[in-house]
Amino acid sequence: MRVILASGSPRRKELLKSITQDFEVIVSNSDESFQEGLTIEEQSKRIAYLKAKTVFNQTQGDRIVIGADTMVLKNGAIYGKPKDKKEAFQMLSNLQNDMNEVLTGMSILIEKDGVQREYNDYDIGKVYISPMEDKEIQNWINSGKAMDKAGAYAVQEEFGKFIEKIEGNYATIVGLPIHKVYQVMKQYL
């Protein structure tokens, strides 16, 4: 069975390796804009689905295609990937010295012996970030590692020194709820 990750994220690739080493990556480049009238959980699942569906439609045969989307949430505000360093600084200024939620939606589309199935779900974790000085925020941004991450931070990078604690699944916070992905995939591998 062919396994395809519909994401160019190196973090998701590393997480998927805990299930299987035998997979390929096809980046979807699908539309990630929000659809009016959906909850944030529905938005995340929808975007993950669009990523997976784009790649699923480009491929054939027995396959498992995995899409995911991660957002950081705090007090009703959504923190995606920052557009520039200024926005990254603003995000981290808002997120530090407090708790935020990390929501990762997932979509797994499967075709086996001509039968198609889909699994759409999400998981949420909480991240508590220590107080940070402006200089510490700027140093992290200048490392170049803030720009491709929701909320402009990464618990698995050196930013981890600012993480007081997490509640929930670590992999969900990194970008792929691997415990949920595994429960689906083990039926087919």
Side-chain angles (χ1 to χ4, degrees), residues 16 50 104 109 132 135 189:
L16 189 54
L50 291 174
T104 297
L109 306 181
M132 299 173 68
K135 182 175 125 184
L189 296 179

Side-chain angles (χ1 to χ4, degrees), residues 28-176:
S28 70
N29 296 316
S30 63
D31 179 20
E32 295 187 32
S33 59
F34 281 18
Q35 182 176 317
E36 204 170 312
L38 298 180
T39 66
I40 194 62
E41 294 85 1
E42 292 167 334
Q43 298 286 6
S44 186
K45 288 192 310 185
R46 179 184 157 275
I47 292 169
Y49 173 79
L50 291 174
K51 290 176 180 180
K53 186 67 171 169
T54 298
V55 172
F56 190 84
N57 289 344
Q58 296 170 358
T59 56
Q60 297 176 341
D62 289 352
R63 65 204 179 283
I64 299 172
V65 179
I66 303 160
D69 185 68
T70 302
M71 299 175 206
V72 173
L73 313 168
K74 182 179 172 192
N75 299 329
I78 301 166
Y79 297 83
K81 296 175 186 172
K83 295 178 189 73
D84 53 36
K85 288 183 176 185
K86 182 179 178 185
E87 186 177 41
F89 188 90
Q90 188 62 49
M91 284 182 179
L92 291 169
S93 296
N94 293 341
L95 295 171
Q96 58 95 26
N97 198 26
D98 206 350
M99 182 275 293
N100 64 81
E101 293 181 311
V102 179
L103 168 72
T104 297
M106 63 169 233
S107 181
I108 304 172
L109 306 181
I110 299 167
E111 182 170 343
K112 181 166 173 55
D113 301 326
V115 178
Q116 295 182 7
R117 289 196 164 71
E118 67 179 58
Y119 301 86
N120 300 297
D121 202 356
Y122 70 92
D123 199 37
I124 297 177
K126 294 180 180 180
V127 178
Y128 296 77
I129 300 176
S130 300
M132 299 173 68
E133 297 174 8
D134 287 355
K135 182 175 125 184
E136 292 171 317
I137 294 173
Q138 200 58 58
N139 286 343
W140 166 249
I141 293 168
N142 290 341
S143 76
K145 297 178 181 179
M147 303 310 292
D148 68 335
K149 295 165 183 73
Y153 73 86
V155 298
Q156 74 280 7
E157 302 276 355
E158 58 268 16
F159 190 88
K161 65 188 171 200
F162 301 112
I163 305 298
E164 288 182 17
K165 69 178 177 175
I166 64 170
E167 295 175 2
N169 186 282
Y170 173 81
T172 293
I173 293 165
V174 174
L176 187 64

